[in-house]
Amino acid sequence: MRRSGVLMPIFSLSGKYGTGDFNGGYKFVDFLSESKQKIWQILPLVQTGYGNSPYSSVCSYSFNPYFISVELLKKDGLLTSSELKFAEEKGEYVDYGKLYEVRYHLLNKAFSRFDKNDKKFKSFLRKKEFRDYALFMAIREESGNKPFYEWENKYKYRDENALKLFENSHKEEIIFWQFVQFLAKNQWTDLKKYANGKGVEILGDMPLYVAWDSVDVWTNPSLFKLNADLYPEKVAGVPPDYFSATGQLWGNPVFDYDYQKKDGYAWWAERVKKALDIYDYVRIDHFRGMDRFYEVPFGAKDATAGEWVKVDSDGLFAAIKEKADVRRIIAEDLGIIDDGVRELLKKTELPGMKILSFAFNGEKDNLYLPENIEENYVCYTGTHDNDTLKGLIDKMSDWDKNNLYSGVKNSLALLGIKKNVTDGITLASAIIELGFKCKAKLFILPMQDVLLCGGEYRINEPGTVKPSNWAVRFNGNYPRSAAKKLAALTVKYGRTD
């Protein structure tokens, strides 16, 4: 089976109300269908916190309230035309400060008009799927948005009587947060059903770690290496390497796998199952951490004092296999990869990732070269953390650019592709064509590369705090010319399965 797809975050979708939303996804699915694409890859759908990164959420199984379509709420009679007019914002980037003020104001308006006795909503509440999330958000609001580890002890340590008293005295606030998840989940489910009906499947994304200040840690502190005050003893990071002499500190609490082993890794198995319930496939970010992970003492100034810790990966994946279809998982195996990770990929038979942006460094044995990519991989031009192809080429020195030209021309010859490469645009186009031609069973390119956008359309630049991170948008219509070009390449290289 050979297929191709496009990476497009929900927040980047075209729309009039400050950010892309689920309603904007219908037009994009139509574009994918016209382009003969079979996969739409998205970033995590979760509610984001400080920094707006979808890889740091208040709840790993939540939906982002910003993705709720206010247009669909108007159709349901919950918002008015004048209220939507007030919310219009077509900026080049998402303005998260304004979005926070406007979107929650509208969601509260919609809630005030919603029939709380709606049968589907009552059924949703009875399942209590988002009860802990709603409690967390309501207590956080009541406490002045303090992180949970600074709450009063009765809430911090989840005294059940205190939580029941709080719930009884804050019913409206708690129902509101469940209402938000009810809307988002329903709108997402409808969009996914539409995509599947058009022959497009969803590839979702699951971060390895969860945020410290999250529902996940608050409700399950024993799953993490925390002290009695619920502060991390160890946090996640990356050791010193060629790119950083002091490594990277991510700050997420690391898992206590010895404790998790006692109940057969039930939390992990349920987490993967939940992800596969809302996606057709899921990519596990930082997959290498499921073999060995790097932990650093909490409070360390950098990552030099950390150490690698081995995971019982056999036991972990046995538990996941009992609950979920692992054939629908993709492993993000980038970064520091050793024999342990390679062996885990071999045992699980999960497809790994190959990035064409890393390929053309002049080394013939480079595993990212299109001619070296094997079938059981997902090939990308770049990920959400990479520059666009055009942006990468534009920033290159003459020496690097010449090296890239030489490498691309050599790969074109080896794969039997006749194509003139004369400038940055034709060079980027050639790299895309190499991705379509390579053996990988799935080839994905970000929408930025479909449209050959410059670096100003980069999704995220790791290690930086920029207004453009997690904020770039594609306003307007998706070009028919791009759909036709993409469809032609898909047919030419047999990625229509």
Side-chain angles (χ1 to χ4, degrees):
M1 183 181 288
R2 282 173 60 78
R3 296 188 291 176
S4 57
V6 176
L7 166 60
M8 176 69 136
I10 300 294
F11 58 75
S12 293
L13 292 168
S14 178
K16 296 193 297 184
Y17 303 103
T19 182
D21 59 32
F22 292 137
N23 194 44
Y26 290 88
K27 187 163 66 171
F28 185 66
V29 167
D30 291 341
F31 170 82
L32 292 175
S33 179
E34 188 179 354
S35 306
K36 298 190 183 299
Q37 301 309 294
K38 299 296 184 183
I39 297 291
W40 175 11
Q41 181 172 347
I42 59 174
L43 301 186
L45 290 176
V46 291
Q47 181 172 332
T48 54
Y50 175 76
N52 308 307
S53 169
Y55 294 87
S56 180
S57 174
V58 298
C59 179
S60 70
Y61 54 89
S62 64
F63 291 87
N64 195 332
Y66 294 154
F67 296 161
I68 296 170
S69 166
V70 292
E71 285 178 293
L72 292 178
L73 296 186
K74 177 179 174 290
K75 285 183 180 178
D76 292 338
L78 298 176
L79 294 174
T80 67
S81 296
S82 60
E83 287 164 348
L84 260 63
K85 188 72 178 173
F86 168 73
E88 286 187 9
E89 177 68 43
K90 293 184 180 179
E92 185 180 356
Y93 298 105
V94 179
D95 181 343
Y96 281 104
K98 182 175 181 181
L99 185 64
Y100 176 82
E101 296 295 332
V102 173
R103 187 54 56 91
Y104 281 108
H105 172 75
L106 291 180
L107 290 173
N108 273 290
K109 283 275 187 188
F111 180 62
S112 70
R113 296 164 182 154
F114 179 70
D115 178 9
K116 314 298 190 300
N117 292 314
D118 177 87
K119 286 183 179 179
K120 288 183 180 178
F121 184 58
K122 297 286 273 187
S123 174
F124 178 84
L125 291 179
R126 281 195 294 271
K127 292 176 184 175
K128 297 186 176 181
E129 182 181 1
F130 292 98
R131 175 187 178 266
D132 284 324
Y133 159 85
L135 268 172
F136 181 90
M137 295 304 298
I139 296 171
R140 179 195 243 196
E141 210 166 37
E142 180 79 6
S143 68
N145 287 319
K146 289 180 181 177
F148 85 86
Y149 44 85
E150 292 181 7
W151 293 349
E152 293 179 68
N153 281 350
K154 61 184 179 181
Y155 300 136
K156 173 179 174 178
Y157 293 105
R158 292 180 57 82
D159 178 272
E160 203 53 46
N161 288 331
L163 292 182
K164 283 178 181 176
L165 286 171
F166 182 90
E167 197 167 7
N168 289 332
S169 61
H170 294 77
K171 285 181 180 178
E172 282 295 293
E173 295 95 322
I174 289 167
I175 293 175
F176 167 74
W177 286 110
Q178 292 180 87
F179 166 75
V180 165
Q181 291 301 313
F182 172 75
L183 292 179
K185 185 175 184 179
N186 284 346
Q187 287 192 8
W188 168 250
T189 301
D190 289 345
L191 174 57
K192 182 179 178 295
K193 190 181 298 181
Y194 180 81
N196 290 166
K198 286 273 191 173
V200 175
E201 294 186 296
I202 307 296
L203 170 53
D205 205 331
M206 190 177 78
L208 179 72
Y209 293 114
V210 301
W212 176 16
D213 182 28
S214 66
V215 177
D216 307 273
V217 177
W218 180 56
T219 56
N220 297 287
S222 298
L223 302 180
F224 306 88
K225 294 185 179 180
L226 308 177
N227 63 21
D229 293 322
L230 304 187
Y231 276 66
E233 293 179 340
K234 301 290 176 68
V235 294
V238 173
D241 57 18
Y242 176 81
F243 299 102
S244 172
T246 56
Q248 296 179 41
L249 276 177
W250 295 341
N252 309 74
V254 298
F255 298 111
D256 185 343
Y257 281 113
D258 288 340
Y259 180 88
Q260 292 195 32
K261 189 174 184 177
K262 294 175 183 177
D263 70 355
Y265 306 103
W267 179 86
W268 251 112
E270 184 62 25
R271 185 185 183 202
V272 175
K273 179 185 178 296
K274 280 182 178 178
L276 288 172
D277 283 344
I278 61 169
Y279 307 127
D280 295 300
Y281 303 92
V282 66
R283 188 196 81 126
I284 298 181
D285 191 58
H286 197 61
F287 178 79
R288 76 101 49 249
M290 301 183 84
D291 172 65
R292 283 195 309 153
F293 62 92
Y294 192 74
E295 63 177 23
V296 183
F298 178 72
K301 63 178 181 177
D302 57 43
T304 54
E307 62 179 359
W308 288 100
V309 178
K310 185 73 179 79
V311 178
D312 170 28
S313 53
D314 288 344
L316 177 59
F317 270 91
I320 291 172
K321 279 183 179 179
E322 284 187 17
K323 279 263 189 176
D325 183 359
V326 296
R327 295 170 299 178
R328 294 161 55 201
I329 295 173
I330 291 168
E332 186 270 289
D333 59 339
L334 307 175
I336 302 170
I337 302 302
D338 54 24
D339 289 341
V341 183
R342 296 185 192 97
E343 184 62 25
L344 181 56
L345 278 170
K346 188 176 177 182
K347 283 181 183 177
T348 58
E349 299 181 326
L350 300 182
M353 291 172 54
K354 297 296 181 188
I355 312 299
L356 295 179
S357 295
F358 301 162
F360 305 101
N361 63 353
E363 298 176 5
K364 291 182 179 179
D365 60 350
N366 186 318
L367 295 175
Y368 297 107
L369 282 167
E371 60 268 26
N372 292 338
I373 297 174
E374 296 299 328
E375 185 180 354
N376 195 33
Y377 282 94
V378 181
C379 176
Y380 291 79
T381 51
T383 73
H384 60 269
D385 281 336
N386 299 126
D387 204 344
T388 68
L389 281 177
K390 187 176 182 299
L392 181 70
I393 293 165
D394 288 345
K395 294 181 182 73
M396 280 183 169
S397 66
D398 289 341
W399 188 90
D400 285 332
K401 198 173 291 186
N402 287 334
N403 204 35
L404 182 60
Y405 270 107
S406 176
V408 169
K409 286 179 178 178
N410 185 60
S411 290
L412 288 170
L414 287 171
L415 294 186
I417 301 173
K418 293 181 179 179
K419 190 174 183 69
N420 289 325
V421 180
T422 57
D423 57 18
I425 292 294
T426 53
L427 184 57
S429 297
I431 294 171
I432 290 169
E433 194 152 349
L434 287 166
F436 272 101
K437 179 65 187 287
C438 78
K439 290 180 182 178
K441 61 184 177 183
L442 177 59
F443 172 55
I444 290 179
L445 61 165
M447 190 63 178
Q448 285 83 341
D449 290 343
V450 172
L451 302 179
L452 295 175
C453 297
E456 69 274 15
Y457 277 85
R458 182 172 185 165
I459 296 173
N460 178 54
E461 188 173 344
T464 68
V465 179
K466 293 183 173 183
S468 59
N469 284 351
W470 317 112
V472 67
R473 301 186 62 203
F474 291 92
N475 284 311
N477 294 318
Y478 307 114
R480 294 287 303 278
S481 57
K484 288 180 179 179
K485 186 177 178 182
L486 206 52
L489 286 169
T490 304
V491 171
K492 181 178 180 180
Y493 293 108
R495 292 192 174 275
T496 57
D497 293 348

